[in-house]
Amino acid sequence: MVMESGSSPGVGSPQCPLDFSFGFNNVNFSDRILKIEIMEDPPQSRPDRDGVLTHANDEASLMDMLNFMYSNTLTRTTPRALLDVLVIADKFQVEACLRYCSQLLLKLPMDYESALLYLNLPPILLMSDSVQPLKDAASEFLAAQFKDIGRFQEEVLNLPLVGIEAVLSSDDLQVVLNRKHYPEMQERREVLKTRLLRLIRFPLMISGYLQEVLTCNDIDPELASRIVLESLFFKAKASHRQRYLAAERVNSTTCHYLVERAYKFRPIQVVEFELPHQQSIVYFDLKKEECLRLFPSGQVHSQPFHLGRQQIYLTGQCIIPGQHYFVHSFGLFLFIDGPRSSAACTVVYELASRTKPSEDFVTWWKGAYTFNGGKKTVGHYNMFGVPWTAFVADGSPFFINDILHLRAELTIKTESDEDHLYGELLSILEDLDG
């Protein structure tokens, strides 16, 4: 069927009820020639001389597209019909119709089936600027549905690959997947290498997990080594430099590989020393928006770190008025856990934050605890000695570029340091009294 300027046989007849004759030789309408080859079922896709093809079962969508070209409306607006028209519009490069279909689909309620349907569109179509918002909306819907994969693990593992990619791409992902979906190792390696590894944010893993990556059979050893090396180089950079690199990567490639997710346990940087004492220096950064979400009684936890046989978490918390304080305040605590032992050890700690105007670290609290196993909590209910409202107020000295920079130093003291430790404890008590 060839449509050209002038009269066209069959237009307006019972066999072709849509009358487009008003548009012919009209300067307001394009004189572009559409060459369309209609093929009989079963469809055997073959391009015509101009490289444009369609199937007989696409005829209704084709007529919808032609109707849109001359009336700017579509006769069918169900999701399935709009998708069919969208695909036809892409084949014939009718950008206005493509954009119109995408906008209508975005206005319709999103559900599980429609989200997967949109993500299963041809890849070249998903790359179109007109269809990109539809792809993003479908990905965000699935990511929101399965944000906590631990609760919906079976459902996520039963998703098609495009669905798993959408969930793993989310900045709000909270936990990781297992290997059940691809039981064969070679298939699993290929899927990970070509589709999924780029979505896993290795640079934000703690060192212990990166060590497991090196010995993971699901990843080619050479590839695993490169991933871990790149991750360690990133982790070695200062936190402000990390944020700059993450933003730069997103702006230049739209890649979120370096962007922190909404982790249940927030990333930290740890510097460890063995001599002259076992010591861990932990840097824990919180965004102001994260702190604001803690009100009135929320908590935010760091990833675990280790000191000797102790596993320790840093926890920031909005303290509700009660026994300790009459107003809300920001508290910072160390949650310690470890195996029972007859040999007790003493740990001296300092809690500090970068503070304006100098923006240097200022030590707010010093303390010590004795640890012989089990669970223990130490810290302070009002880290900065001010009400919550002053802590989060505009111009607060505790946020630098809307980031709260916290630091905890923990040092194990041995028996040979007993006299020195006693002097330190007296100094701490004097500071507290002062």
Side-chain angles (χ1 to χ4, degrees):
M1 177 173 71
V2 178
M3 294 186 59
E4 308 180 86
S5 298
S7 61
S8 178
V11 174
S13 67
Q15 291 77 20
C16 188
L18 297 174
D19 185 1
F20 302 114
S21 58
F22 68 89
F24 298 137
N25 295 321
N26 187 325
V27 295
N28 294 318
F29 294 86
S30 170
D31 60 355
R32 178 179 179 177
I33 297 176
L34 296 178
K35 294 186 177 181
I36 306 161
E37 180 178 350
I38 303 295
M39 300 170 56
E40 299 296 333
D41 287 330
Q44 299 293 326
S45 301
R46 69 180 170 86
D48 67 4
R49 291 187 301 273
D50 293 324
V52 180
L53 60 87
T54 187
H55 300 139
N57 59 356
D58 289 335
E59 186 172 358
S61 302
L62 174 64
M63 298 309 295
D64 273 345
M65 183 192 73
L66 291 174
N67 182 60
F68 173 83
M69 292 173 66
Y70 291 100
S71 67
N72 206 36
T73 60
L74 292 173
T75 58
R76 300 179 303 157
T77 56
T78 64
R80 180 72 263 183
L82 287 172
L83 274 180
D84 291 341
V85 176
L86 184 141
V87 172
I88 290 294
D90 177 64
K91 286 181 180 179
F92 291 102
Q93 301 178 30
V94 184
E95 183 64 29
C97 187
L98 189 69
R99 185 167 54 252
Y100 185 74
C101 291
S102 180
Q103 291 170 349
L104 287 182
L105 287 168
L106 276 173
K107 294 178 181 178
L108 297 176
M110 185 82 69
D111 57 27
Y112 175 83
E113 288 76 15
S114 61
L116 291 178
L117 204 59
Y118 302 155
L119 291 175
N120 270 309
L121 288 169
I124 193 169
L125 180 54
L126 290 174
M127 294 172 61
S128 164
D129 290 341
S130 299
V131 183
Q132 188 69 42
L134 188 62
K135 175 189 174 184
D136 292 343
S139 298
E140 290 170 6
F141 175 84
L142 289 178
Q145 290 290 104
F146 304 110
K147 177 179 178 179
D148 188 349
I149 298 180
R151 291 177 55 200
F152 304 103
Q153 193 166 50
E154 288 301 319
E155 291 88 338
V156 172
L157 292 176
N158 288 325
L159 288 173
L161 188 55
V162 290
I164 295 177
E165 284 184 292
V167 174
L168 287 180
S169 297
S170 170
D171 290 345
D172 294 328
L173 187 65
Q174 293 185 341
V175 291
V176 296
L177 292 170
N178 64 30
R179 62 181 61 183
K180 181 178 178 181
H181 201 60
Y182 296 96
E184 296 297 327
M185 187 176 74
Q186 282 305 117
E187 181 186 14
R188 196 160 59 243
R189 278 191 172 187
E190 185 63 23
V191 169
L192 283 169
K193 179 180 179 180
T194 59
R195 304 289 292 274
L196 299 181
L197 283 181
R198 60 186 175 83
L199 305 175
I200 299 174
R201 305 182 188 187
F202 294 101
L204 303 176
M205 289 183 175
I206 60 175
S207 300
Y209 292 157
L210 288 176
Q211 288 178 342
E212 293 181 16
V213 172
L214 285 174
T215 58
C216 178
N217 291 328
D218 297 336
I219 307 175
D220 177 76
E222 184 177 343
L223 177 59
S225 297
R226 188 171 77 246
I227 288 172
V228 171
L229 187 61
E230 291 175 352
S231 300
L232 292 175
F233 272 120
F234 178 80
K235 292 172 76 67
K237 298 183 183 299
S239 57
H240 69 277
R241 180 63 180 165
Q242 291 178 356
R243 289 190 293 273
Y244 172 79
L245 290 174
E248 187 180 55
R249 179 75 67 90
V250 171
N251 292 335
S252 62
T253 65
T254 69
C255 174
H256 286 227
Y257 182 65
L258 301 177
V259 177
E260 293 181 1
R261 302 186 195 270
Y263 297 107
K264 287 183 176 179
F265 298 96
R266 304 287 294 126
I268 54 176
Q269 290 182 301
V270 183
V271 180
E272 297 178 337
F273 298 95
E274 290 294 328
L275 295 172
H277 309 284
Q278 281 188 290
Q279 183 183 42
S280 291
I281 303 176
V282 184
Y283 297 90
F284 184 31
D285 292 350
L286 296 174
K287 298 176 183 176
K288 188 171 185 178
E289 62 192 56
E290 291 176 303
C291 294
L292 290 171
R293 286 198 296 266
L294 297 180
F295 189 87
S297 59
Q299 298 180 348
V300 58
H301 307 284
S302 77
Q303 293 174 337
F305 62 97
H306 293 82
L307 180 66
R309 302 177 68 188
Q310 306 168 62
Q311 178 171 274
I312 305 173
Y313 299 84
L314 267 173
T315 295
Q317 183 175 350
C318 180
I319 304 299
I320 61 175
Q323 179 181 356
H324 301 280
Y325 290 95
F326 297 108
V327 293
H328 286 87
S329 59
F330 178 80
L332 187 63
F333 301 90
L334 298 164
F335 286 91
I336 306 113
D337 192 9
R340 290 287 180 183
S341 172
S342 57
C345 67
T346 300
V347 179
V348 173
Y349 66 90
E350 293 185 11
L351 302 178
S353 74
R354 289 179 62 191
T355 307
K356 296 176 182 176
S358 69
E359 299 189 359
D360 294 331
F361 276 101
V362 174
T363 298
W364 293 93
W365 296 98
K366 297 180 181 180
Y369 64 88
T370 301
F371 186 77
N372 59 359
K375 299 181 185 295
K376 194 178 188 71
T377 302
V378 298
H380 293 275
Y381 288 91
N382 193 340
M383 171 74 173
F384 302 109
V386 298
W388 178 269
T389 51
F391 165 62
V392 297
D394 292 340
S396 167
F398 311 113
F399 291 92
I400 299 173
N401 296 324
D402 284 339
I403 301 292
L404 176 65
H405 300 272
L406 299 171
R407 185 185 71 192
E409 292 188 29
L410 298 94
T411 306
I412 294 179
K413 297 296 185 178
T414 61
E415 290 183 4
S416 59
D417 302 309
E418 186 173 344
D419 292 339
H420 179 68
L421 176 59
Y422 179 72
E424 282 194 6
L425 290 175
L426 286 177
S427 176
I428 291 170
L429 292 173
E430 288 173 359
D431 289 343
L432 293 176
D433 290 337

